[in-house]
Each structure stands twice: as structure tokens, then as C-alpha cells.
Amino acid sequence: MHQYLLHLGIGGIGIIRISGKNSFEVLEKIFKPKNKSNEIVGYTMKYGHIIEDNKIIDEVLVSYFKGPKSYTTEDMCEINSHGGTVVMKKILELCLKNGADLAEPGEFTKRAFLGGRIDLSQAESVIDIINAKSEREAREGIKQLDGFLSEKINDIKKELLEIITNIEVSIDYPEYDTPEVTNKDILKKIQTCRNKLNSLENSFDSGKIIKDGIKTVIIGKPNAGKSSLLNAILKEDRAIVTEVEGTTRDTIEEFININGIPLKLVDTAGIRESNDKVEKIGIEKSKKLANDADLIIAIFDSSKEFSEEDIKILNIAKNKKSIIILNKSDLVQKINNENPKLKDFNQNIITLSAKNKTGLEKLFEKITDMFNLNEINLDNDIIITNQRHKNLILKALENLNKAEKILKDGMPVDILEISLKDVLGNLSAITGEEAGEEILNEIFARFCLGK
Ligand code: GDP
């Protein structure tokens, strides 16, 4: 309770919400309406006073919501008092003294979920709306609260249930269909589900990109052309550059937007200074930067053979989302994209001249492709913004792939059924039918009090 009071702010109006089957009883003990009628009608307000020992504590308006048509699905009332801390604290104490308990953070929304009014993903969107930093983020939250995501998930669950029913029918009535027909049908349905889950999963990256930009680092040994490339990108006519402070004190991040490609260039300061005698971005630092980047641009001087240091840089770029730039294409090239050391990067090699600014278009096109930027349709598609949902979708995809393999290997259908039920379980955890108590507690603990 102390913590609650510490967070209490001052406002013109303060609201104390009571929910549960005894809410009206508690209220009756402390509230004297002006109009003495005892009838309680949902969606109405009464004017009156909060009273303690015949003393008026405050002049208030009380709204009544009768369950199940309330935020929590229970009987609820909200005391609209004056928003000063002293008065609010007093009314809260009176409520507690007369039989109410202090709510946990997120308890109202939790009750709405437990009461079946909203599912878990909708409940979670309430936090997103409250915490949104931009209009765009808030809009995603509201879409989710409206049930867009739940609808998508339920749609996939329905298809899975159909497959499971098919399997059960084929187990019970083997003469009903030939196994070949059933298998082909099931395979097709599994693929449809996978496509839908994949596009949901991909949307997480889009959402993150729109919000945060593609966190990009440029790495390469001294004189490969890092700072020339950076300058070429920044001087690109259509680049809108915003300098933002880096996460650590000595880095500068530049947020640039080229043809709708949001790039957040990290540690550009280091690159700028790399013309000093001492090379600022060493291999170790490059490794560190590369670790939490969304995109690595590794640049090489293609007029020289790969050196040992170049190989180290290639190793950093391996297994990550990276683009290899063979720079200095205006000179006689010693390495091209057929070089055996580049075999891991097949499609992602760009030859350009940073100095002459030729070939940059290819770089931008490549980034657009790699991050599916052309496919992001912000208004019509639902975007996954919640890490928990993304993890569950990944698990669902894993189990779906397992199911496909079981089917293709001709293993018994009851094993297939188990895998599919696992997928169903993963999806149900998003909407909350199968989220454990621990997960629920963790989710609702992130809410503020009173929500
Ligand atoms: P950094 O140390 O990786 O930042 O490399 P810089 O961008 O400072 O470039 C090192 C040297 O290579 C400079 O003299 C640049 O002018 C030169 N350079 C960079 N890009 C090109 C290019 O595309 N062609 C040629 N011929 N020289 C380049």
C-alpha cells in the first residue's frame, strides 16, 4: 500500500475502482447519495458524499457497472473524487476498512481475462496501449485489443482442429479414405498453417524495424572504405538523417531513412575517427557491435586479395544477416563474388565504389529485399509486437515442422496427432487458454495499479 501511495499523483479527478460481488455493499457503507433511491442501475452515475462517522470526506460522483457488462465482468463501481492525495488516500482507506482489498497491479484486467471478456493477447495489448511511445504503436495495441490477433490465431487453430479431426476419423474409420488422399490433404493444410504463422512471425521484425530502425554496423579493416561508404550513404539525396545519441556515451547513432528504408547506423563516430593512425574499430569491437546488430555491412577493398584480418571480418559476418561489399570497383579487382571465401554469402554480395558513389542503389535494393520492406502493409496486416507471442509462434512452427516430418516419414498418425496438439497448445498460450498461473502472474505484474 505504501508503494501505491508513493505513486499517487495529483489530478483534477481521482478515481477509485472497486470490483467484485461485494462492491456495492462496500460502497453503501461509505457513500451517501443525494438522491436516496436504493436502486442500482448499470451505466449510471450518482452524486453524493463519502462519509465517515457522519463527517463528509469528499463530494463525489459514483459510476455503476453491473456485471457481466463491466470491464472486469463483475459488479463494479468507480468513485470519482477530487484528485488530491489526502482525500484519495482517505477514501481508499475507508474502502479497505469496509471490506475491500487492495488490488494487485493489473488485477482489473486479469479479472476481465479470467471472466472471459477478453483473451490474454487482448489483455496484454492494454499494457502496450498504456506504454506506447508513438501514435503508431498505440494503434497496433488498439488493433490487438480489438481482437485482430486473436482472430488470426483462432483461425489457424480452427484449421489445426480440422486436421486433427481428419486424423481421428481416419483412425476410427480407416475405410473412409485412402491414406494417400488423407496424407496429401493434411500436408496441404499443414503448409497453409505454416504460411500463416510465418507471416505473423515475419511481422514481428517489420514492427520492430518501423519502431527502431534496422540496427546496422559497418565493419571492415582500415582503408577498406568504411567512412567513404558512410559518407556516401549519408549524402544520398533522399536520405533523411537524424542524429541520435547512442546507447553508450561514446557512440553516435544515425537514424537514416532512404526510400523508406529505416537504417540506424551504430557507432558512426568510431568509423569517422578511423582515419586516425590508431584504428578505432578493432576486431574485438566489431565482434561486439555485430552481436546485437540486425544487419552487418562488411566492407572489403576488392583491389587487394583477402588478408588475414579480412577473413576474421568475414567470420564475424558469417551466420548473421549481412551484406558483403566489395568496394573500390573502379580499380582493378583482385576479388569478385565468385571468390571461394565468399561462398557462404552467395546472394548478398554487392560490388560498388564508395568513392565514386556508384552502386549504392544495389545496396539499398538488397536491404529492402532482405527485410521484406516492400511487403510491410502497415494498416491492413496485424503486426506482432510482443516477444512472448513471437516465441510461442516460433515454437508452434517448430512443432508444425515436426508434424510434417512425421507425416512424410510415414510414421503412425497418432504420433502426428500429438505434434499437432502441441502446435495447438502453443497457440492457445497466446490467447491464454493454456497459459499457466506463473505466466499470468508475470504478465499482469507488469500492469500499473488500478488497471
Ligand atoms: P576506412 O578506413 O575503412 O574508413 O576507409 P576510408 O573510407 O577512409 O578509405 C580509405 C581510402 O580508400 C581513402 O583514401 C579513400 O579515398 C579510398 N577509397 C574508399 N573507397 C574507394 C573506392 O571506391 N575507390 C577507390 N579508388 N578508393 C576508395
Side-chain angles (χ1 to χ4, degrees), residues 24-64:
F24 299 148
E25 262 171 51
V26 174
L27 184 74
E28 211 184 291
K29 292 184 193 159
I30 61 170
F31 175 57
K32 292 279 163 291
K34 261 262 163 0
N35 179 341
K36 296 283 185 302
S37 141
N38 276 335
E39 198 198 357
I40 291 172
V41 183
Y43 296 102
T44 57
M45 281 185 133
K46 282 188 185 180
Y47 165 76
H49 292 112
I50 297 290
I51 304 280
E52 185 190 29
D53 304 331
N54 293 323
K55 273 204 319 268
I56 293 179
I57 304 295
D58 196 13
E59 179 193 38
V60 298
L61 272 171
V62 175
S63 351
Y64 293 84

mmCIF file of all heavy atoms in Angstrom, residues 24-64:
data_model
loop_
_atom_site.group_PDB
_atom_site.id
_atom_site.type_symbol
_atom_site.label_atom_id
_atom_site.label_comp_id
_atom_site.label_asym_id
_atom_site.label_seq_id
_atom_site.Cartn_x
_atom_site.Cartn_y
_atom_site.Cartn_z
ATOM 1 N N PHE A 24 -20.855 -3.214 -4.285
ATOM 2 C CA PHE A 24 -21.920 -2.259 -3.963
ATOM 3 C C PHE A 24 -22.153 -2.184 -2.452
ATOM 4 O O PHE A 24 -22.476 -1.131 -1.912
ATOM 5 C CB PHE A 24 -23.215 -2.623 -4.700
ATOM 6 C CG PHE A 24 -23.068 -2.588 -6.210
ATOM 7 C CD1 PHE A 24 -23.798 -3.459 -7.020
ATOM 8 C CD2 PHE A 24 -22.198 -1.696 -6.820
ATOM 9 C CE1 PHE A 24 -23.662 -3.424 -8.400
ATOM 10 C CE2 PHE A 24 -22.048 -1.660 -8.203
ATOM 11 C CZ PHE A 24 -22.777 -2.531 -8.988
ATOM 12 N N GLU A 25 -21.911 -3.327 -1.788
ATOM 13 C CA GLU A 25 -22.045 -3.343 -0.313
ATOM 14 C C GLU A 25 -21.014 -2.435 0.341
ATOM 15 O O GLU A 25 -21.322 -1.663 1.253
ATOM 16 C CB GLU A 25 -21.781 -4.764 0.206
ATOM 17 C CG GLU A 25 -23.016 -5.569 0.483
ATOM 18 C CD GLU A 25 -22.639 -7.002 0.769
ATOM 19 O OE1 GLU A 25 -21.755 -7.243 1.634
ATOM 20 O OE2 GLU A 25 -23.221 -7.883 0.094
ATOM 21 N N VAL A 26 -19.784 -2.578 -0.101
ATOM 22 C CA VAL A 26 -18.710 -1.741 0.445
ATOM 23 C C VAL A 26 -19.063 -0.272 0.223
ATOM 24 O O VAL A 26 -18.983 0.562 1.123
ATOM 25 C CB VAL A 26 -17.360 -2.068 -0.228
ATOM 26 C CG1 VAL A 26 -16.273 -1.095 0.223
ATOM 27 C CG2 VAL A 26 -16.951 -3.510 0.063
ATOM 28 N N LEU A 27 -19.503 0.009 -0.996
ATOM 29 C CA LEU A 27 -19.812 1.385 -1.361
ATOM 30 C C LEU A 27 -20.913 1.961 -0.468
ATOM 31 O O LEU A 27 -20.826 3.087 0.028
ATOM 32 C CB LEU A 27 -20.238 1.452 -2.834
ATOM 33 C CG LEU A 27 -20.494 2.851 -3.347
ATOM 34 C CD1 LEU A 27 -19.172 3.593 -3.544
ATOM 35 C CD2 LEU A 27 -21.284 2.825 -4.642
ATOM 36 N N GLU A 28 -21.932 1.125 -0.258
ATOM 37 C CA GLU A 28 -23.080 1.599 0.512
ATOM 38 C C GLU A 28 -22.682 2.090 1.899
ATOM 39 O O GLU A 28 -23.274 3.008 2.449
ATOM 40 C CB GLU A 28 -24.084 0.450 0.638
ATOM 41 C CG GLU A 28 -25.518 0.914 0.703
ATOM 42 C CD GLU A 28 -26.450 -0.266 0.918
ATOM 43 O OE1 GLU A 28 -26.580 -1.082 -0.011
ATOM 44 O OE2 GLU A 28 -26.999 -0.376 2.035
ATOM 45 N N LYS A 29 -21.638 1.458 2.480
ATOM 46 C CA LYS A 29 -21.222 1.820 3.830
ATOM 47 C C LYS A 29 -20.532 3.178 3.884
ATOM 48 O O LYS A 29 -20.424 3.780 4.946
ATOM 49 C CB LYS A 29 -20.270 0.749 4.380
ATOM 50 C CG LYS A 29 -20.959 -0.574 4.623
ATOM 51 C CD LYS A 29 -19.984 -1.545 5.243
ATOM 52 C CE LYS A 29 -20.557 -2.958 5.186
ATOM 53 N NZ LYS A 29 -19.506 -3.954 5.294
ATOM 54 N N ILE A 30 -20.024 3.644 2.768
ATOM 55 C CA ILE A 30 -19.251 4.892 2.833
ATOM 56 C C ILE A 30 -19.826 6.011 1.965
ATOM 57 O O ILE A 30 -19.392 7.154 2.048
ATOM 58 C CB ILE A 30 -17.780 4.655 2.431
ATOM 59 C CG1 ILE A 30 -17.682 4.140 0.980
ATOM 60 C CG2 ILE A 30 -17.096 3.677 3.362
ATOM 61 C CD1 ILE A 30 -16.249 4.118 0.473
ATOM 62 N N PHE A 31 -20.823 5.674 1.140
ATOM 63 C CA PHE A 31 -21.333 6.670 0.194
ATOM 64 C C PHE A 31 -22.795 7.006 0.484
ATOM 65 O O PHE A 31 -23.637 6.117 0.589
ATOM 66 C CB PHE A 31 -21.194 6.098 -1.221
ATOM 67 C CG PHE A 31 -21.784 6.975 -2.296
ATOM 68 C CD1 PHE A 31 -21.374 8.293 -2.466
ATOM 69 C CD2 PHE A 31 -22.749 6.468 -3.168
ATOM 70 C CE1 PHE A 31 -21.919 9.087 -3.462
ATOM 71 C CE2 PHE A 31 -23.299 7.253 -4.175
ATOM 72 C CZ PHE A 31 -22.880 8.570 -4.322
ATOM 73 N N LYS A 32 -23.073 8.293 0.629
ATOM 74 C CA LYS A 32 -24.460 8.733 0.821
ATOM 75 C C LYS A 32 -24.888 9.514 -0.405
ATOM 76 O O LYS A 32 -24.503 10.680 -0.594
ATOM 77 C CB LYS A 32 -24.582 9.650 2.056
ATOM 78 C CG LYS A 32 -24.354 8.946 3.374
ATOM 79 C CD LYS A 32 -25.589 8.196 3.870
ATOM 80 C CE LYS A 32 -25.297 7.172 4.955
ATOM 81 N NZ LYS A 32 -24.534 5.981 4.551
ATOM 82 N N PRO A 33 -25.701 8.881 -1.277
ATOM 83 C CA PRO A 33 -26.138 9.619 -2.473
ATOM 84 C C PRO A 33 -27.133 10.703 -2.104
ATOM 85 O O PRO A 33 -27.872 10.559 -1.135
ATOM 86 C CB PRO A 33 -26.790 8.536 -3.335
ATOM 87 C CG PRO A 33 -27.011 7.367 -2.444
ATOM 88 C CD PRO A 33 -26.186 7.505 -1.224
ATOM 89 N N LYS A 34 -27.163 11.768 -2.873
ATOM 90 C CA LYS A 34 -28.109 12.858 -2.636
ATOM 91 C C LYS A 34 -29.529 12.358 -2.844
ATOM 92 O O LYS A 34 -30.430 12.591 -2.053
ATOM 93 C CB LYS A 34 -27.825 14.019 -3.599
ATOM 94 C CG LYS A 34 -27.016 15.122 -2.963
ATOM 95 C CD LYS A 34 -27.928 16.233 -2.509
ATOM 96 C CE LYS A 34 -27.494 17.267 -1.545
ATOM 97 N NZ LYS A 34 -26.309 17.476 -0.890
ATOM 98 N N ASN A 35 -29.704 11.646 -3.990
ATOM 99 C CA ASN A 35 -30.989 11.042 -4.280
ATOM 100 C C ASN A 35 -31.039 9.690 -3.572
ATOM 101 O O ASN A 35 -30.255 8.799 -3.887
ATOM 102 C CB ASN A 35 -31.100 10.881 -5.802
ATOM 103 C CG ASN A 35 -32.411 10.229 -6.194
ATOM 104 O OD1 ASN A 35 -33.070 9.594 -5.381
ATOM 105 N ND2 ASN A 35 -32.760 10.379 -7.457
ATOM 106 N N LYS A 36 -31.975 9.544 -2.632
ATOM 107 C CA LYS A 36 -31.931 8.393 -1.726
ATOM 108 C C LYS A 36 -32.309 7.053 -2.367
ATOM 109 O O LYS A 36 -32.203 6.020 -1.730
ATOM 110 C CB LYS A 36 -32.838 8.648 -0.504
ATOM 111 C CG LYS A 36 -32.362 9.814 0.362
ATOM 112 C CD LYS A 36 -31.181 9.394 1.213
ATOM 113 C CE LYS A 36 -30.706 10.443 2.199
ATOM 114 N NZ LYS A 36 -30.301 11.723 1.632
ATOM 115 N N SER A 37 -32.766 7.069 -3.609
ATOM 116 C CA SER A 37 -33.207 5.814 -4.235
ATOM 117 C C SER A 37 -32.130 4.738 -4.121
ATOM 118 O O SER A 37 -30.958 4.989 -4.383
ATOM 119 C CB SER A 37 -33.544 6.060 -5.713
ATOM 120 O OG SER A 37 -33.110 4.970 -6.481
ATOM 121 N N ASN A 38 -32.550 3.552 -3.697
ATOM 122 C CA ASN A 38 -31.586 2.484 -3.476
ATOM 123 C C ASN A 38 -31.283 1.668 -4.710
ATOM 124 O O ASN A 38 -30.414 0.827 -4.707
ATOM 125 C CB ASN A 38 -32.105 1.531 -2.382
ATOM 126 C CG ASN A 38 -31.750 2.081 -1.020
ATOM 127 O OD1 ASN A 38 -30.787 2.835 -0.897
ATOM 128 N ND2 ASN A 38 -32.550 1.731 -0.023
ATOM 129 N N GLU A 39 -32.050 1.935 -5.755
ATOM 130 C CA GLU A 39 -31.905 1.114 -6.937
ATOM 131 C C GLU A 39 -30.539 1.370 -7.595
ATOM 132 O O GLU A 39 -30.115 2.510 -7.748
ATOM 133 C CB GLU A 39 -33.022 1.456 -7.928
ATOM 134 C CG GLU A 39 -33.189 0.377 -8.962
ATOM 135 C CD GLU A 39 -33.955 0.913 -10.179
ATOM 136 O OE1 GLU A 39 -34.378 2.093 -10.157
ATOM 137 O OE2 GLU A 39 -34.083 0.158 -11.134
ATOM 138 N N ILE A 40 -29.891 0.281 -7.957
ATOM 139 C CA ILE A 40 -28.608 0.428 -8.646
ATOM 140 C C ILE A 40 -28.792 0.027 -10.100
ATOM 141 O O ILE A 40 -29.199 -1.093 -10.403
ATOM 142 C CB ILE A 40 -27.529 -0.449 -7.984
ATOM 143 C CG1 ILE A 40 -27.215 0.125 -6.595
ATOM 144 C CG2 ILE A 40 -26.276 -0.512 -8.845
ATOM 145 C CD1 ILE A 40 -26.322 -0.746 -5.753
ATOM 146 N N VAL A 41 -28.542 0.976 -10.982
ATOM 147 C CA VAL A 41 -28.700 0.713 -12.407
ATOM 148 C C VAL A 41 -27.325 0.832 -13.063
ATOM 149 O O VAL A 41 -26.592 1.785 -12.808
ATOM 150 C CB VAL A 41 -29.672 1.746 -13.044
ATOM 151 C CG1 VAL A 41 -29.897 1.436 -14.516
ATOM 152 C CG2 VAL A 41 -30.994 1.774 -12.280
ATOM 153 N N GLY A 42 -27.004 -0.168 -13.866
ATOM 154 C CA GLY A 42 -25.706 -0.146 -14.544
ATOM 155 C C GLY A 42 -25.597 1.035 -15.479
ATOM 156 O O GLY A 42 -26.605 1.557 -15.965
ATOM 157 N N TYR A 43 -24.394 1.469 -15.728
ATOM 158 C CA TYR A 43 -24.114 2.593 -16.641
ATOM 159 C C TYR A 43 -24.803 3.890 -16.233
ATOM 160 O O TYR A 43 -25.262 4.650 -17.048
ATOM 161 C CB TYR A 43 -24.483 2.242 -18.082
ATOM 162 C CG TYR A 43 -23.653 1.118 -18.622
ATOM 163 C CD1 TYR A 43 -24.163 -0.167 -18.699
ATOM 164 C CD2 TYR A 43 -22.339 1.349 -19.022
ATOM 165 C CE1 TYR A 43 -23.379 -1.209 -19.167
ATOM 166 C CE2 TYR A 43 -21.559 0.319 -19.490
ATOM 167 C CZ TYR A 43 -22.086 -0.954 -19.558
ATOM 168 O OH TYR A 43 -21.308 -1.971 -20.007
ATOM 169 N N THR A 44 -24.937 4.085 -14.927
ATOM 170 C CA THR A 44 -25.449 5.375 -14.469
ATOM 171 C C THR A 44 -24.491 5.924 -13.416
ATOM 172 O O THR A 44 -23.611 5.219 -12.934
ATOM 173 C CB THR A 44 -26.841 5.250 -13.806
ATOM 174 O OG1 THR A 44 -26.718 4.330 -12.722
ATOM 175 C CG2 THR A 44 -27.891 4.777 -14.775
ATOM 176 N N MET A 45 -24.703 7.176 -13.097
ATOM 177 C CA MET A 45 -23.870 7.787 -12.057
ATOM 178 C C MET A 45 -24.750 8.348 -10.967
ATOM 179 O O MET A 45 -25.886 8.742 -11.229
ATOM 180 C CB MET A 45 -23.066 8.944 -12.652
ATOM 181 C CG MET A 45 -21.859 8.494 -13.429
ATOM 182 S SD MET A 45 -20.930 9.944 -13.948
ATOM 183 C CE MET A 45 -19.289 9.473 -13.512
ATOM 184 N N LYS A 46 -24.222 8.349 -9.751
ATOM 185 C CA LYS A 46 -24.939 9.007 -8.654
ATOM 186 C C LYS A 46 -24.038 10.057 -8.046
ATOM 187 O O LYS A 46 -22.828 9.857 -7.925
ATOM 188 C CB LYS A 46 -25.324 7.979 -7.586
ATOM 189 C CG LYS A 46 -26.530 7.142 -7.953
ATOM 190 C CD LYS A 46 -26.954 6.303 -6.761
ATOM 191 C CE LYS A 46 -28.095 5.377 -7.174
ATOM 192 N NZ LYS A 46 -28.525 4.561 -6.042
ATOM 193 N N TYR A 47 -24.685 11.127 -7.629
ATOM 194 C CA TYR A 47 -23.950 12.215 -6.992
ATOM 195 C C TYR A 47 -24.148 12.126 -5.490
ATOM 196 O O TYR A 47 -25.228 11.769 -5.026
ATOM 197 C CB TYR A 47 -24.485 13.553 -7.537
ATOM 198 C CG TYR A 47 -24.088 14.757 -6.736
ATOM 199 C CD1 TYR A 47 -22.791 15.257 -6.833
ATOM 200 C CD2 TYR A 47 -24.995 15.375 -5.875
ATOM 201 C CE1 TYR A 47 -22.417 16.355 -6.078
ATOM 202 C CE2 TYR A 47 -24.620 16.474 -5.123
ATOM 203 C CZ TYR A 47 -23.325 16.963 -5.221
ATOM 204 O OH TYR A 47 -22.944 18.037 -4.478
ATOM 205 N N GLY A 48 -23.138 12.418 -4.703
ATOM 206 C CA GLY A 48 -23.324 12.379 -3.252
ATOM 207 C C GLY A 48 -22.030 12.610 -2.492
ATOM 208 O O GLY A 48 -21.104 13.227 -3.024
ATOM 209 N N HIS A 49 -21.996 12.078 -1.265
ATOM 210 C CA HIS A 49 -20.820 12.318 -0.418
ATOM 211 C C HIS A 49 -20.233 11.031 0.132
ATOM 212 O O HIS A 49 -20.949 10.080 0.421
ATOM 213 C CB HIS A 49 -21.204 13.225 0.764
ATOM 214 C CG HIS A 49 -21.528 14.611 0.330
ATOM 215 N ND1 HIS A 49 -22.798 15.144 0.412
ATOM 216 C CD2 HIS A 49 -20.760 15.591 -0.214
ATOM 217 C CE1 HIS A 49 -22.787 16.381 -0.062
ATOM 218 N NE2 HIS A 49 -21.568 16.664 -0.444
ATOM 219 N N ILE A 50 -18.935 11.043 0.288
ATOM 220 C CA ILE A 50 -18.274 9.961 1.023
ATOM 221 C C ILE A 50 -18.260 10.416 2.482
ATOM 222 O O ILE A 50 -17.863 11.543 2.803
ATOM 223 C CB ILE A 50 -16.826 9.748 0.519
ATOM 224 C CG1 ILE A 50 -16.826 9.316 -0.950
ATOM 225 C CG2 ILE A 50 -16.079 8.741 1.407
ATOM 226 C CD1 ILE A 50 -17.348 7.940 -1.228
ATOM 227 N N ILE A 51 -18.733 9.518 3.331
ATOM 228 C CA ILE A 51 -18.961 9.887 4.729
ATOM 229 C C ILE A 51 -18.184 8.969 5.658
ATOM 230 O O ILE A 51 -18.127 7.756 5.432
ATOM 231 C CB ILE A 51 -20.471 9.700 5.080
ATOM 232 C CG1 ILE A 51 -21.367 10.509 4.131
ATOM 233 C CG2 ILE A 51 -20.755 10.007 6.542
ATOM 234 C CD1 ILE A 51 -21.466 11.971 4.471
ATOM 235 N N GLU A 52 -17.589 9.546 6.683
ATOM 236 C CA GLU A 52 -17.033 8.710 7.761
ATOM 237 C C GLU A 52 -17.493 9.321 9.081
ATOM 238 O O GLU A 52 -17.249 10.512 9.325
ATOM 239 C CB GLU A 52 -15.502 8.699 7.713
ATOM 240 C CG GLU A 52 -14.914 7.749 8.746
ATOM 241 C CD GLU A 52 -13.406 7.899 8.887
ATOM 242 O OE1 GLU A 52 -12.876 9.005 8.665
ATOM 243 O OE2 GLU A 52 -12.764 6.883 9.229
ATOM 244 N N ASP A 53 -18.135 8.506 9.911
ATOM 245 C CA ASP A 53 -18.682 8.973 11.195
ATOM 246 C C ASP A 53 -19.454 10.276 11.035
ATOM 247 O O ASP A 53 -19.192 11.268 11.753
ATOM 248 C CB ASP A 53 -17.542 9.206 12.226
ATOM 249 C CG ASP A 53 -16.709 7.962 12.427
ATOM 250 O OD1 ASP A 53 -17.274 6.862 12.260
ATOM 251 O OD2 ASP A 53 -15.511 8.098 12.725
ATOM 252 N N ASN A 54 -20.350 10.286 10.055
ATOM 253 C CA ASN A 54 -21.189 11.458 9.783
ATOM 254 C C ASN A 54 -20.420 12.684 9.301
ATOM 255 O O ASN A 54 -20.981 13.775 9.227
ATOM 256 C CB ASN A 54 -22.028 11.850 11.019
ATOM 257 C CG ASN A 54 -23.060 10.782 11.310
ATOM 258 O OD1 ASN A 54 -23.626 10.197 10.368
ATOM 259 N ND2 ASN A 54 -23.266 10.496 12.587
ATOM 260 N N LYS A 55 -19.140 12.502 9.069
ATOM 261 C CA LYS A 55 -18.351 13.638 8.543
ATOM 262 C C LYS A 55 -18.193 13.466 7.039
ATOM 263 O O LYS A 55 -17.955 12.367 6.541
ATOM 264 C CB LYS A 55 -16.953 13.645 9.187
ATOM 265 C CG LYS A 55 -16.898 14.383 10.499
ATOM 266 C CD LYS A 55 -15.482 14.894 10.843
ATOM 267 C CE LYS A 55 -14.362 13.938 10.542
ATOM 268 N NZ LYS A 55 -13.979 13.052 11.660
ATOM 269 N N ILE A 56 -18.336 14.564 6.311
ATOM 270 C CA ILE A 56 -18.160 14.476 4.860
ATOM 271 C C ILE A 56 -16.670 14.460 4.522
ATOM 272 O O ILE A 56 -15.914 15.336 4.943
ATOM 273 C CB ILE A 56 -18.831 15.686 4.154
ATOM 274 C CG1 ILE A 56 -20.356 15.591 4.332
ATOM 275 C CG2 ILE A 56 -18.466 15.728 2.671
ATOM 276 C CD1 ILE A 56 -21.115 16.738 3.713
ATOM 277 N N ILE A 57 -16.263 13.444 3.807
ATOM 278 C CA ILE A 57 -14.856 13.340 3.401
ATOM 279 C C ILE A 57 -14.648 14.010 2.042
ATOM 280 O O ILE A 57 -13.669 14.704 1.819
ATOM 281 C CB ILE A 57 -14.419 11.852 3.313
ATOM 282 C CG1 ILE A 57 -14.671 11.143 4.640
ATOM 283 C CG2 ILE A 57 -12.968 11.725 2.864
ATOM 284 C CD1 ILE A 57 -13.834 11.651 5.796
ATOM 285 N N ASP A 58 -15.600 13.763 1.130
ATOM 286 C CA ASP A 58 -15.495 14.407 -0.182
ATOM 287 C C ASP A 58 -16.848 14.379 -0.881
ATOM 288 O O ASP A 58 -17.725 13.574 -0.559
ATOM 289 C CB ASP A 58 -14.440 13.683 -1.052
ATOM 290 C CG ASP A 58 -14.001 14.519 -2.250
ATOM 291 O OD1 ASP A 58 -14.310 15.726 -2.297
ATOM 292 O OD2 ASP A 58 -13.330 13.956 -3.137
ATOM 293 N N GLU A 59 -16.957 15.234 -1.856
ATOM 294 C CA GLU A 59 -18.138 15.281 -2.706
ATOM 295 C C GLU A 59 -17.754 14.514 -3.965
ATOM 296 O O GLU A 59 -16.734 14.821 -4.598
ATOM 297 C CB GLU A 59 -18.425 16.760 -3.027
ATOM 298 C CG GLU A 59 -19.598 16.991 -3.919
ATOM 299 C CD GLU A 59 -19.598 18.451 -4.420
ATOM 300 O OE1 GLU A 59 -18.506 18.992 -4.706
ATOM 301 O OE2 GLU A 59 -20.688 19.012 -4.525
ATOM 302 N N VAL A 60 -18.561 13.506 -4.295
ATOM 303 C CA VAL A 60 -18.130 12.619 -5.383
ATOM 304 C C VAL A 60 -19.251 12.281 -6.354
ATOM 305 O O VAL A 60 -20.433 12.506 -6.080
ATOM 306 C CB VAL A 60 -17.584 11.280 -4.811
ATOM 307 C CG1 VAL A 60 -16.361 11.498 -3.947
ATOM 308 C CG2 VAL A 60 -18.673 10.528 -4.043
ATOM 309 N N LEU A 61 -18.829 11.702 -7.486
ATOM 310 C CA LEU A 61 -19.767 11.085 -8.428
ATOM 311 C C LEU A 61 -19.381 9.614 -8.498
ATOM 312 O O LEU A 61 -18.206 9.291 -8.603
ATOM 313 C CB LEU A 61 -19.598 11.691 -9.817
ATOM 314 C CG LEU A 61 -20.386 12.944 -10.157
ATOM 315 C CD1 LEU A 61 -19.917 13.496 -11.489
ATOM 316 C CD2 LEU A 61 -21.891 12.623 -10.228
ATOM 317 N N VAL A 62 -20.378 8.743 -8.429
ATOM 318 C CA VAL A 62 -20.051 7.312 -8.493
ATOM 319 C C VAL A 62 -20.698 6.700 -9.730
ATOM 320 O O VAL A 62 -21.892 6.898 -9.981
ATOM 321 C CB VAL A 62 -20.561 6.591 -7.228
ATOM 322 C CG1 VAL A 62 -20.328 5.093 -7.350
ATOM 323 C CG2 VAL A 62 -19.860 7.128 -5.991
ATOM 324 N N SER A 63 -19.902 5.989 -10.529
ATOM 325 C CA SER A 63 -20.482 5.269 -11.670
ATOM 326 C C SER A 63 -20.691 3.811 -11.297
ATOM 327 O O SER A 63 -19.871 3.232 -10.583
ATOM 328 C CB SER A 63 -19.591 5.313 -12.907
ATOM 329 O OG SER A 63 -18.520 6.180 -12.776
ATOM 330 N N TYR A 64 -21.786 3.270 -11.800
ATOM 331 C CA TYR A 64 -22.116 1.876 -11.508
ATOM 332 C C TYR A 64 -22.047 1.052 -12.790
ATOM 333 O O TYR A 64 -22.532 1.491 -13.839
ATOM 334 C CB TYR A 64 -23.544 1.780 -10.954
ATOM 335 C CG TYR A 64 -23.710 2.427 -9.607
ATOM 336 C CD1 TYR A 64 -23.942 3.797 -9.501
ATOM 337 C CD2 TYR A 64 -23.640 1.667 -8.450
ATOM 338 C CE1 TYR A 64 -24.087 4.400 -8.273
ATOM 339 C CE2 TYR A 64 -23.786 2.273 -7.204
ATOM 340 C CZ TYR A 64 -24.012 3.628 -7.118
ATOM 341 O OH TYR A 64 -24.140 4.216 -5.903
#
